[in-house]
Amino acid sequence: MEAGIGRQRIVNYGQNLIDLDIANQTIRNYLGMLQGFFSFVLSRPYIMDIDRPINIADHYNRIEQPISEYEIPTHALNREKKGVPLDPERIIDFLKIVREHYLGDGR
């Protein structure tokens, strides 16, 4: 989600999915899930720092939506099938992976 770099990561991720010969619908679903997650974070861009909320951009860097509506148009996803996004335990696991593999430097 980091400005500029986040976009390139999504492009690389999409290309890796294509290289693995994953079905187009599956690729659209994966990118749609990421797009939904990034939209959620951007709509609530605060994290708790001890006892007060701070803006993510102030703590890390400026963030943006790396997947545009032109790449994953609304009609390409069946959003009604998605149901509940992730249970809290899966969200925590996802955030641990992001922290361990992408943030580094103890950030």
Side-chain angles (χ1 to χ4, degrees):
M1 289 181 63
E2 191 174 347
I5 296 171
R7 172 80 187 115
Q8 189 57 48
R9 286 180 181 148
I10 291 298
V11 169
N12 292 342
Y13 175 70
Q15 188 59 51
N16 287 335
L17 293 176
I18 291 169
D19 292 345
L20 290 171
D21 209 20
I22 294 176
N24 288 337
Q25 185 60 42
T26 303
I27 293 171
R28 281 193 297 271
N29 286 340
Y30 288 172
L31 292 175
M33 286 184 238
L34 285 172
Q35 184 184 40
F37 174 73
F38 296 144
S39 293
F40 176 83
V41 171
L42 287 169
S43 67
R44 295 160 185 83
Y46 297 96
I47 54 175
M48 291 303 291
D49 184 26
I50 301 175
D51 61 344
R52 64 182 179 86
I54 59 172
N55 193 299
I56 291 174
D58 295 340
H59 194 66
Y60 297 108
N61 294 316
R62 187 172 66 87
I63 59 174
E64 62 184 24
Q65 171 63 270
I67 304 173
S68 77
E69 64 185 53
Y70 299 104
E71 295 156 326
I72 304 291
T74 303
H75 71 274
L77 296 172
N78 186 352
R79 299 219 185 255
E80 293 176 12
K81 282 179 148 179
K82 290 189 177 182
V84 177
L86 292 174
D87 63 66
E89 199 169 298
R90 288 183 62 197
I91 291 174
I92 291 170
D93 290 341
F94 173 75
L95 294 175
K96 284 179 185 175
I97 290 169
V98 170
R99 183 179 63 235
E100 291 170 4
H101 295 283
Y102 296 103
L103 295 180
D105 300 328
R107 290 173 47 182

